[in-house]
Amino acid sequence: VVKSLRPNVMSKLTTSDCKRFEMLLEEVFPGMCSSKPSNEDLRAKIEETFMVMGLSRNVRQIDKCIELYEQLNKRIGVTVFGPASSGKSTVISVLKSVLVSMNQTIRTYIISPKSMSRSQLLGYLDTNTRQWHDGVLTQTAIAVNSEPDNVTSWIICDGDIDPEWIEALNSVLDDNKLLTLPSGWRIQFGNNVNFIFETHDLANASPATISR
């Protein structure tokens, strides 16, 4: 139970709240919290990758790499958020290097949704010709969907989370994993696809998005 609670809850808490949560776990499950973690092999690989990439070993970032890995295995959509220069991109790049060193194929597609209009991002239907034009996100989705099952794809949306574009992904982020385009075309994602939202805060994200 402790091993299930930790990865599911700790990644959503601030540093101070993590300490409080550890105290609660120790009260409810005395003696269990000091047991050896089950991801020692992954932790050793991350520490090794830090040295290979010329980075200073940071226990907090190592923990975040493990938390990100566990969340990506459970959910199609994961948010990595914090202020600028807090190490968000480093955590993602380190985890990618670790998984590649473990003979996994990881492909990343980085998009900045706020740098373009909704039609450029999601595509649009020409009112004159009735012809559908793919957007940046839809082109990426088609490319990702054509990959074999042994290739893991990360679609990284770097920038503010705005209801104007994120609401279009609600059906993708729930259990359906289905992107419905205005043209009526549907793209079904497999378990080898993840959406990573890298942002400085979640002030503009709706409860519907956060719950997913």
Side-chain angles (χ1 to χ4, degrees):
V1 172
V2 171
K3 286 178 180 178
S4 298
L5 283 170
R6 269 184 165 152
N8 276 292
V9 178
M10 295 284 271
S11 62
K12 304 171 189 176
L13 303 178
T14 61
T15 307
S16 58
D17 284 343
C18 281
K19 294 176 182 177
R20 293 191 185 99
F21 185 68
E22 285 283 4
M23 291 169 59
L24 285 170
L25 284 179
E26 186 59 41
E27 286 180 15
V28 180
F29 305 99
M32 290 291 107
C33 296
S34 58
S35 59
K36 187 178 178 182
S38 59
N39 44 32
E40 283 300 299
D41 291 342
L42 179 61
R43 184 177 292 273
K45 281 279 187 185
I46 294 171
E47 291 181 2
E48 183 184 323
T49 304
F50 263 80
M51 293 183 354
V52 170
M53 296 177 70
L55 300 171
S56 299
R57 182 180 175 276
N58 185 311
V59 176
R60 184 69 176 154
Q61 275 192 319
I62 292 171
D63 289 340
K64 286 295 164 188
C65 285
I66 294 172
E67 288 174 3
L68 178 59
Y69 173 74
E70 289 168 337
Q71 293 302 319
L72 289 172
N73 284 334
K74 292 181 177 71
R75 298 173 177 85
I76 186 172
V78 177
T79 302
V80 179
F81 86 99
S85 302
S86 61
K88 301 186 296 295
S89 298
T90 302
V91 167
I92 294 171
S93 60
V94 167
L95 180 59
K96 179 185 176 182
S97 298
V98 169
L99 297 178
V100 168
S101 69
M102 296 168 67
N103 297 322
Q104 294 189 32
T105 304
I106 308 290
R107 293 195 179 142
T108 54
Y109 304 82
I110 301 176
I111 301 171
S112 179
K114 291 295 288 180
S115 67
M116 62 192 82
S117 65
R118 180 186 171 91
S119 58
Q120 286 177 304
L121 180 68
L122 301 173
Y124 64 95
L125 189 68
D126 192 311
T127 53
N128 296 320
T129 63
R130 308 301 297 172
Q131 184 178 359
W132 171 256
H133 297 270
D134 286 319
V136 174
L137 184 61
T138 50
Q139 285 179 342
T140 305
I142 293 167
V144 162
N145 202 41
S146 63
E147 296 283 7
D149 292 340
N150 63 334
V151 174
T152 300
S153 300
W154 293 352
I155 300 175
I156 303 173
C157 298
D158 190 353
D160 291 350
I161 291 181
D162 194 320
E164 185 179 349
W165 63 269
I166 194 73
E167 294 291 339
L169 298 180
N170 278 351
S171 61
V172 177
L173 299 177
D174 61 23
D175 293 337
N176 295 323
K177 299 182 181 180
L178 188 68
L179 177 63
T180 304
L181 305 179
S183 63
W185 190 20
R186 296 183 174 188
I187 300 176
Q188 180 74 58
F189 293 107
N191 294 326
N192 60 333
V193 178
N194 289 104
F195 283 80
I196 301 176
F197 304 97
E198 187 179 343
T199 183
H200 71 289
D201 68 30
L202 297 169
N204 296 319
S206 67
T209 300
I210 295 300
S211 66
R212 286 170 167 85

